Amino acid sequence: MEDLLAARSQMALSLGFHIIFACIGMVMPFFMATSHYQYLKTKNPLYKDLTKAWSKGVAIFFVTGAVSGTMLSFELGLLWPKFMLHAGPIFGMPFSLEGTAFFIEAIALGFFLYGWGKFKPWFHWFTGVVVGISGLASGILVVAANGWMNSPSGFDYVNGEYLNIDPIEALFNDAWFSQSLHMTLAAFAATGFAVAGIHAYMIIRKKNIEFHKKAFRIALVFGGIAALLQPLSGDISAKDIAVRQPAKLAAMEAHFETERGASLIIGGIPDEENETVNYAIKIPGALSFLAHGDFEAEVIGLDQFPKENHPPVMVTHFAFQIMVGMGMILMALSLLYFFSSWKKKDWLRANWFLWLFVVATPLGFIAVEAGWTVTEVGRQPWIIYEVLKTKDAVSPIPGIAYSFYLFSAIYLSLSAAVAFLLIRQIKAVPDSLKEGNELTENQISTNPKSE
């Protein structure tokens, strides 16, 4: 394996692994805080048990995310030294602020985990909210740094030198808002449906039903609302990319020729050599409307760019189609859940209904991985868009392939460890339902304060 491919493969593996834990770390604290709030309001012990269970999950993902994130920070310097040499002084601010948010999150999480019975109840709840806010801020700051790579700003590039550096402008680059909004909603949708799917499975198995029903409802409200809002952020992103990165949009849609009234392509297999798309469904004028708000607007195709600057169309197009497809499924399930909660409450207890969400458990994270692929692969061949190419930033030190194999083994080990810990956590019996406690599950389900 050549060094460039090995370096790119290692970064893809690291980012693909870390993004899952980053998304969960951004979102799960809000589930935890919501459950804790319900406990403080109702005094229902199941909500306390749920809060404690989710807090342990938050701790697991926090530690794993910290490890994988630290590895990523080293990889940026070791694998892409020329990138960090030039980019570090410009977009170092979001990374330093992300470190601050990380420390605040760690301190607040420690307070929350060990604060039961030691802090006043509402202050204890507030520390959990701080965990969520700081985790969300951390994720947004990292995405802002990635946005700078897609829309570099805050400097003048003169004769190969970066002059007049403005880190504030670099932080609030043209891509940061659309990417951060899209990523945040994706994190809530993916985590919400994943958590809901796990608890739906436990309900089907008749395990601590009332406990898992409450967890299912909290997770799905968050995930469902995010899934329904996601198309709005997708529209904002598409219109932004059409202006800033037309080559990426062209690759996403396998749009080879510049034209007015461009058709939206659904499915299809791109033929990059002949610059055609086979077996696709085309909606006339729809791409022009989605990109520019006008059915007759011109959409720039890949024919306007040198072939050596074309993104990999096949990968980008398939990833985009997968992301949109998964998102549409989650939207449909969200509408089904909210409709059933309003008009068909008996569906909420039906196995067929619950199985839909069990099957949907991984779909959100598949969409997240596909979306991240679109963001990164669609920017190629640039590591800093239209400034520095990926091949020119890679480390000259040989043997990167061995590093890739080593990191792959580390990530597989981490995945196995996390899976083992989560399975144990999911199977654990809530304290309020253990034999000998005052309330049985049946009593809790009939408790007037149980909701």
Side-chain angles (χ1 to χ4, degrees):
M1 181 183 292
E2 63 175 4
D3 287 340
L4 177 59
L5 178 60
R8 294 179 68 177
S9 298
Q10 184 171 325
M11 285 301 297
L13 173 69
S14 302
L15 286 167
F17 181 90
H18 178 70
I19 197 171
I20 294 176
F21 298 101
C23 286
I24 296 172
M26 290 166 62
V27 174
M28 279 293 293
F30 291 100
F31 296 179
M32 177 185 76
T34 301
S35 177
H36 194 187
Y37 176 84
Q38 291 291 341
Y39 168 65
L40 294 176
K41 295 292 287 186
T42 67
K43 303 304 179 185
N44 184 340
L46 277 184
Y47 281 120
K48 181 178 181 180
D49 291 336
L50 179 57
T51 303
K52 286 186 173 183
W54 275 345
S55 68
K56 292 175 183 176
V58 169
I60 292 170
F61 285 113
F62 177 83
V63 171
T64 310
V67 172
S68 59
T70 301
M71 293 168 69
L72 264 173
S73 65
F74 283 115
E75 287 176 6
L76 281 173
L78 293 173
L79 299 178
W80 314 101
K82 292 182 181 178
F83 166 70
M84 292 304 296
L85 174 66
H86 299 297
I90 304 171
F91 80 151
M93 176 175 283
F95 278 129
S96 62
L97 292 176
E98 189 274 337
T100 302
F102 174 82
F103 287 129
I104 293 173
E105 183 182 6
I107 293 168
L109 181 59
F111 281 169
F112 188 84
L113 291 174
Y114 299 103
W116 291 98
K118 298 180 178 65
F119 296 136
K120 290 184 177 181
W122 285 106
F123 177 77
H124 186 214
W125 170 80
F126 176 72
T127 63
V129 174
V130 173
V131 175
I133 293 173
S134 55
L136 186 60
S138 179
I140 289 174
L141 287 164
V142 169
V143 174
N146 181 263
W148 180 85
M149 296 166 68
N150 286 294
S151 181
S153 59
F155 65 95
D156 293 324
Y157 187 62
V158 181
N159 297 326
E161 295 186 11
Y162 298 80
L163 306 174
N164 303 321
I165 293 173
D166 183 347
I168 301 297
E169 184 181 345
L171 172 61
F172 296 107
N173 56 80
D174 290 342
W176 87 269
F177 175 75
S178 60
Q179 283 195 205
S180 297
L181 177 63
H182 200 61
M183 187 70 238
T184 299
L185 290 174
F188 272 93
T191 305
F193 273 89
V195 172
I198 292 170
H199 289 287
Y201 179 69
M202 299 305 289
I203 295 171
I204 292 171
R205 293 189 61 194
K206 311 296 183 185
K207 301 290 187 181
N208 309 321
I209 294 175
E210 288 300 317
F211 174 86
H212 291 292
K213 279 173 61 178
K214 287 172 172 49
F216 175 79
R217 180 166 55 249
I218 291 172
L220 204 49
V221 167
F222 275 100
I225 293 173
L228 293 174
L229 292 175
Q230 190 67 297
L232 298 177
S233 74
D235 182 65
I236 293 172
S237 295
K239 287 180 168 56
D240 176 56
I241 290 171
V243 175
R244 285 190 305 99
Q245 293 178 294
K248 178 184 286 188
L249 179 67
M252 289 160 56
E253 290 292 340
H255 183 62
F256 290 99
E257 295 184 7
T258 301
E259 62 178 330
R260 293 187 175 275
S263 299
L264 178 69
I265 293 177
I266 300 176
I269 301 175
D271 182 346
E272 296 184 57
E273 183 176 347
N274 296 311
E275 298 187 345
T276 59
V277 184
N278 302 314
Y279 315 111
I281 299 172
K282 297 185 177 182
I283 304 176
L287 179 58
S288 291
F289 178 77
L290 291 175
H292 300 290
D294 180 356
F295 285 100
E296 294 301 322
E298 182 179 79
V299 178
I300 297 174
L302 289 170
D303 59 340
Q304 299 296 307
F305 304 93
K307 285 214 170 188
E308 63 268 20
N309 290 345
H310 286 191
V313 177
M314 183 81 74
V315 174
T316 308
H317 178 69
F318 283 159
F320 179 67
Q321 297 290 309
I322 290 170
M323 179 187 70
V324 173
M326 297 298 101
M328 295 299 291
I329 293 172
L330 296 186
M331 277 186 62
L333 288 175
S334 301
L335 291 171
L336 179 64
Y337 172 73
F338 290 123
F339 174 76
S340 64
S341 299
W342 177 40
K343 288 288 188 181
K344 296 286 186 180
K345 293 186 183 295
D346 56 313
W347 288 3
L348 299 174
R349 298 185 293 273
N351 276 4
W352 67 265
F353 181 86
L354 294 169
W355 271 113
L356 291 175
F357 293 93
V358 173
V359 173
T361 299
L363 299 188
F365 283 111
I366 292 173
V368 167
E369 296 286 8
W372 198 251
T373 299
V374 171
T375 299
E376 295 302 292
V377 177
R379 187 180 63 246
Q380 298 307 311
W382 307 98
I383 191 168
I384 304 175
Y385 188 61
E386 294 188 332
V387 174
L388 179 65
K389 288 191 173 182
T390 306
K391 66 179 182 179
D392 297 326
V394 71
S395 171
I397 300 174
I400 297 178
Y402 299 107
S403 172
F404 169 59
Y405 301 141
L406 175 62
F407 275 72
S408 298
I410 292 172
Y411 285 126
L412 286 173
S413 301
L414 279 173
S415 299
V418 170
F420 172 75
L421 291 172
L422 289 179
I423 290 171
R424 286 190 59 184
Q425 185 60 33
I426 292 167
K427 289 182 176 179
V429 178
D431 291 340
S432 58
L433 298 182
K434 289 179 180 177
E435 185 178 356
N437 282 3
E438 291 183 7
L439 293 178
T440 65
E441 184 169 350
N442 183 59
Q443 289 170 322
I444 289 170
S445 66
T446 57
N447 183 353
K449 287 189 174 182
S450 64
E451 297 299 325

